[in-house]
Coordinates of all heavy atoms in Angstrom, one line a residue:
E332 N 129.6 135.6 4.1 CA 129.5 136.0 2.7 C 128.3 135.4 2.2 O 127.8 134.4 2.5 CB 130.8 135.3 2.0 CG 132.1 135.8 2.5 CD 133.3 135.1 1.7 OE1 133.1 134.3 0.9 OE2 134.5 135.5 2.0
S333 N 127.9 136.2 1.2 CA 126.6 135.8 0.4 C 126.7 136.1 -1.0 O 127.3 137.2 -1.4 CB 125.4 136.7 1.1 OG 125.2 136.4 2.3
K334 N 126.1 135.4 -1.8 CA 125.9 135.6 -3.2 C 124.8 136.5 -3.5 O 123.8 136.7 -2.6 CB 125.7 134.3 -4.0 CG 127.0 133.4 -3.9 CD 126.7 132.1 -4.7 CE 127.9 131.3 -4.7 NZ 127.6 129.9 -5.4
A335 N 124.7 137.1 -4.7 CA 123.6 137.9 -5.0 C 122.2 137.3 -4.8 O 121.2 137.9 -4.4 CB 123.8 138.5 -6.4
A336 N 122.1 136.0 -5.2 CA 120.9 135.2 -5.2 C 120.4 135.1 -3.7 O 119.3 135.1 -3.4 CB 121.0 133.9 -5.7
H337 N 121.4 135.0 -2.7 CA 121.0 134.9 -1.3 C 120.5 136.2 -0.8 O 119.4 136.3 -0.1 CB 122.2 134.5 -0.5 CG 122.9 133.3 -0.9 ND1 124.3 133.1 -0.8 CD2 122.5 132.1 -1.4 CE1 124.5 131.8 -1.2 NE2 123.5 131.3 -1.6
L338 N 121.1 137.4 -1.3 CA 120.5 138.7 -0.9 C 119.2 138.9 -1.5 O 118.2 139.4 -0.8 CB 121.5 139.8 -1.4 CG 122.9 139.8 -0.8 CD1 123.7 140.8 -1.4 CD2 122.9 139.9 0.7
Y339 N 118.9 138.4 -2.6 CA 117.6 138.5 -3.3 C 116.7 137.6 -2.3 O 115.6 138.2 -2.1 CB 117.7 137.8 -4.7 CG 116.3 137.5 -5.3 CD1 115.8 138.5 -6.0 CD2 115.8 136.3 -5.3 CE1 114.5 138.3 -6.7 CE2 114.7 136.0 -5.9 CZ 113.9 137.0 -6.7 OH 112.7 136.8 -7.3
Q340 N 116.9 136.5 -1.9 CA 116.1 135.7 -1.1 C 115.8 136.4 0.2 O 114.7 136.4 0.9 CB 116.6 134.2 -0.9 CG 116.5 133.4 -2.1 CD 117.0 132.0 -1.9 OE1 117.6 131.7 -0.8 NE2 116.9 131.2 -2.9
Y341 N 116.8 137.1 0.8 CA 116.7 137.8 2.0 C 115.6 138.8 1.8 O 114.9 139.2 2.8 CB 118.0 138.4 2.5 CG 119.1 137.4 2.7 CD1 120.5 137.9 2.9 CD2 118.9 136.1 2.9 CE1 121.5 137.0 3.1 CE2 120.0 135.2 3.0 CZ 121.3 135.7 3.2 OH 122.4 134.9 3.4
G342 N 115.6 139.5 0.8 CA 114.6 140.4 0.5 C 113.2 139.9 0.7 O 112.3 140.7 1.3
F343 N 112.8 138.8 0.2 CA 111.5 138.1 0.4 C 111.3 137.7 1.8 O 110.2 138.0 2.4 CB 111.4 136.9 -0.6 CG 111.1 137.2 -2.0 CD1 112.2 137.2 -2.9 CD2 109.9 137.7 -2.4 CE1 111.9 137.6 -4.3 CE2 109.6 138.0 -3.7 CZ 110.7 138.0 -4.7
L344 N 112.3 137.2 2.4 CA 112.1 136.8 3.8 C 111.9 138.0 4.8 O 111.0 137.8 5.7 CB 113.5 136.0 4.3 CG 113.5 134.6 3.6 CD1 114.9 134.1 4.0 CD2 112.5 133.7 4.0
G345 N 112.7 139.0 4.6 CA 112.5 140.2 5.4 C 111.2 140.9 5.1 O 110.5 141.4 6.0
D346 N 110.7 140.9 3.9 CA 109.4 141.4 3.5 C 108.3 140.8 4.2 O 107.3 141.3 4.7 CB 109.3 141.4 2.0 CG 107.9 141.8 1.5 OD1 107.8 143.1 1.5 OD2 107.0 141.1 1.3
F347 N 108.4 139.4 4.3 CA 107.4 138.5 4.9 C 107.3 138.9 6.4 O 106.2 139.0 7.0 CB 107.6 137.1 4.7 CG 106.8 136.4 3.7 CD1 107.3 136.3 2.4 CD2 105.5 136.0 4.1 CE1 106.4 135.7 1.4 CE2 104.7 135.4 3.1 CZ 105.1 135.3 1.8
Y348 N 108.5 139.0 7.0 CA 108.6 139.3 8.5 C 108.0 140.6 8.8 O 107.2 140.8 9.7 CB 110.0 139.2 9.0 CG 110.1 139.2 10.4 CD1 110.0 138.0 11.2 CD2 110.3 140.3 11.1 CE1 110.0 138.0 12.6 CE2 110.4 140.4 12.5 CZ 110.2 139.2 13.3 OH 110.3 139.3 14.6
A349 N 108.4 141.7 7.9 CA 107.9 143.0 8.2 C 106.4 143.0 8.1 O 105.7 143.8 8.8 CB 108.5 144.0 7.3
E350 N 105.9 142.3 7.1 CA 104.3 142.3 6.9 C 103.7 141.5 7.9 O 102.6 142.0 8.6 CB 104.1 141.9 5.5 CG 102.6 141.9 5.2 CD 102.3 141.4 3.8 OE1 103.2 141.5 2.9 OE2 101.2 141.0 3.5
K351 N 104.1 140.2 8.2 CA 103.3 139.3 9.1 C 103.6 139.6 10.5 O 102.6 139.4 11.3 CB 103.8 137.9 8.7 CG 103.4 137.4 7.3 CD 101.9 137.2 7.1 CE 101.7 136.6 5.7 NZ 100.2 136.4 5.6
V352 N 104.7 140.0 10.9 CA 104.9 140.1 12.4 C 104.9 141.6 12.7 O 104.4 141.9 13.9 CB 106.4 139.6 12.7 CG1 106.8 139.8 14.2 CG2 106.5 138.1 12.4
L353 N 105.5 142.5 12.1 CA 105.4 144.0 12.4 C 104.1 144.7 11.9 O 103.9 145.8 12.4 CB 106.7 144.7 11.9 CG 108.0 144.2 12.3 CD1 109.1 145.0 11.8 CD2 108.0 144.0 13.9
G354 N 103.4 144.0 10.9 CA 102.1 144.6 10.4 C 102.4 145.8 9.4 O 101.5 146.6 9.1
F355 N 103.6 145.9 8.8 CA 103.9 146.8 7.8 C 103.1 146.5 6.4 O 103.2 145.4 6.0 CB 105.4 147.0 7.4 CG 106.2 147.4 8.7 CD1 107.6 147.5 8.6 CD2 105.6 147.8 9.9 CE1 108.3 147.9 9.7 CE2 106.3 148.3 10.9 CZ 107.7 148.4 10.9
E356 N 102.5 147.6 5.9 CA 101.8 147.4 4.7 C 102.8 147.7 3.4 O 103.5 148.8 3.5 CB 100.6 148.2 4.5 CG 99.7 148.0 3.3 CD 98.5 148.7 3.2 OE1 98.1 149.3 4.3 OE2 97.9 148.8 2.2
N357 N 103.0 146.8 2.5 CA 103.8 147.0 1.4 C 105.3 147.6 1.8 O 105.6 148.7 1.5 CB 103.2 148.0 0.4 CG 103.9 148.0 -0.9 OD1 104.6 147.0 -1.3 ND2 103.8 149.0 -1.6
P358 N 106.0 146.8 2.6 CA 107.3 147.3 3.2 C 108.2 147.7 2.1 O 108.3 147.1 1.0 CB 107.8 146.1 4.0 CG 106.6 145.2 4.2 CD 105.6 145.3 3.0
R359 N 109.0 148.6 2.4 CA 110.1 149.2 1.5 C 111.2 148.4 1.8 O 111.8 148.4 2.8 CB 110.3 150.7 1.6 CG 109.1 151.6 1.4 CD 109.4 153.0 2.0 NE 109.5 153.0 3.5 CZ 110.4 153.7 4.2 NH1 111.2 154.5 3.5 NH2 110.5 153.5 5.4
V360 N 111.8 147.9 0.7 CA 113.0 146.9 0.8 C 114.1 147.7 0.2 O 114.2 148.2 -0.9 CB 112.8 145.6 0.0 CG1 114.1 144.7 0.2 CG2 111.6 144.9 0.7
G361 N 115.2 147.8 1.0 CA 116.4 148.4 0.5 C 117.7 147.6 0.6 O 117.7 146.6 1.5
L362 N 118.7 147.8 -0.2 CA 120.0 147.0 0.0 C 121.1 147.9 0.5 O 121.4 149.0 0.1 CB 120.4 146.7 -1.6 CG 121.8 146.0 -1.7 CD1 121.7 144.6 -1.1 CD2 122.1 145.8 -3.1
L363 N 121.7 147.5 1.6 CA 122.7 148.3 2.3 C 124.0 148.2 1.4 O 124.5 147.2 1.0 CB 123.1 147.6 3.6 CG 124.2 148.4 4.5 CD1 123.6 149.7 4.9 CD2 124.5 147.5 5.7
N364 N 124.4 149.4 1.1 CA 125.6 149.7 0.1 C 126.3 150.9 0.4 O 126.0 151.7 1.3 CB 125.0 149.6 -1.4 CG 126.0 149.1 -2.4 OD1 127.2 149.1 -2.1 ND2 125.4 148.6 -3.4
L365 N 127.3 151.1 -0.3 CA 128.2 152.2 -0.1 C 127.6 153.5 -0.5 O 128.1 154.6 0.0 CB 129.5 152.0 -1.0 CG 130.3 150.8 -0.7 CD1 131.5 150.6 -1.6 CD2 130.9 150.8 0.7
G366 N 126.7 153.5 -1.4 CA 126.1 154.8 -1.8 C 124.7 154.4 -2.5 O 124.3 153.3 -2.5
T367 N 123.9 155.4 -2.8 CA 122.5 155.1 -3.1 C 122.5 154.9 -4.7 O 121.5 154.3 -5.1 CB 121.7 156.4 -2.9 OG1 122.2 157.5 -3.6 CG2 121.5 156.6 -1.5
E368 N 123.5 155.1 -5.4 CA 123.5 154.9 -6.8 C 123.5 153.4 -7.2 O 124.0 152.6 -6.6 CB 124.7 155.5 -7.6 CG 124.9 157.1 -7.3 CD 125.4 157.6 -6.1 OE1 125.8 156.7 -5.3 OE2 125.6 158.8 -5.9
E369 N 122.9 153.1 -8.4 CA 122.7 151.8 -8.8 C 123.9 151.0 -9.0 O 124.1 149.8 -8.7 CB 121.9 151.7 -10.1 CG 121.8 150.5 -10.9 CD 121.0 150.6 -12.2 OE1 120.4 151.6 -12.4 OE2 121.2 149.7 -13.0
D370 N 125.0 151.6 -9.4 CA 126.3 151.0 -9.7 C 127.3 151.0 -8.6 O 128.5 150.8 -8.8 CB 127.1 151.7 -11.0 CG 127.3 153.1 -10.8 OD1 126.7 153.7 -9.7 OD2 128.0 153.7 -11.7
K371 N 126.9 151.3 -7.4 CA 127.7 151.3 -6.3 C 128.1 149.9 -5.7 O 127.2 149.0 -5.9 CB 127.2 152.1 -5.1 CG 127.2 153.6 -5.3 CD 128.7 154.2 -5.3 CE 128.6 155.6 -5.4 NZ 130.0 156.2 -5.3
G372 N 129.2 149.7 -5.0 CA 129.6 148.4 -4.4 C 130.3 147.4 -5.3 O 130.7 147.8 -6.4
D373 N 130.6 146.3 -4.7 CA 131.3 145.3 -5.5 C 130.3 144.5 -6.4 O 129.1 144.9 -6.6 CB 131.9 144.2 -4.5 CG 130.9 143.6 -3.5 OD1 129.6 143.6 -3.9 OD2 131.4 143.2 -2.5
E374 N 130.8 143.4 -7.0 CA 130.0 142.9 -8.1 C 128.7 142.1 -7.5 O 127.7 142.1 -8.2 CB 130.9 141.8 -8.9 CG 131.9 142.5 -9.8 CD 131.2 143.5 -10.8 OE1 130.3 143.1 -11.4 OE2 131.8 144.5 -10.9
V375 N 129.0 141.6 -6.3 CA 127.8 140.9 -5.7 C 126.7 141.9 -5.4 O 125.5 141.6 -5.7 CB 128.2 140.3 -4.3 CG1 127.0 139.7 -3.5 CG2 129.1 139.2 -4.6
H376 N 127.0 143.1 -4.9 CA 125.9 144.1 -4.7 C 125.3 144.8 -5.9 O 124.2 145.1 -6.0 CB 126.5 145.2 -3.7 CG 126.6 144.8 -2.3 ND1 127.7 144.0 -1.9 CD2 125.9 145.0 -1.2 CE1 127.6 143.8 -0.5 NE2 126.5 144.4 -0.2
K377 N 126.2 144.8 -6.9 CA 125.7 145.3 -8.2 C 124.7 144.3 -8.7 O 123.6 144.7 -9.2 CB 126.8 145.6 -9.1 CG 127.7 146.7 -8.9 CD 128.8 146.8 -9.8 CE 129.7 148.0 -9.5 NZ 130.9 148.1 -10.4
E378 N 124.9 143.1 -8.7 CA 124.1 142.0 -9.2 C 122.9 141.9 -8.3 O 121.8 141.7 -8.8 CB 124.8 140.7 -9.2 CG 123.9 139.5 -9.8 CD 123.6 139.7 -11.3 OE1 124.4 140.5 -12.0 OE2 122.7 139.1 -11.8

């Protein structure tokens, strides 16, 4: 289980890995969710 703040930090960690190890420039960061709309998912994912 994760809080919204943890998912936020994962975004930075994953971004660093994609850039420094895989060599991606300005990596696109996405949140896995039930749908693409902003209000999808539970409260943790919305936050």
Side-chain angles (χ1 to χ4, degrees):
E332 298 180 359
S333 298
K334 294 182 179 180
H337 302 148
L338 297 177
Y339 170 83
Q340 291 182 352
Y341 299 165
F343 284 100
L344 293 172
D346 176 80
F347 258 96
Y348 190 87
E350 182 179 336
K351 295 288 185 180
V352 177
L353 301 182
F355 295 174
E356 184 177 349
N357 197 27
R359 299 165 300 140
V360 178
L362 176 67
L363 184 63
N364 209 336
L365 302 175
T367 58
E368 298 83 359
E369 175 183 341
D370 61 348
K371 287 290 185 178
D373 56 22
E374 291 305 315
V375 170
H376 284 77
K377 291 177 183 178
E378 181 65 24

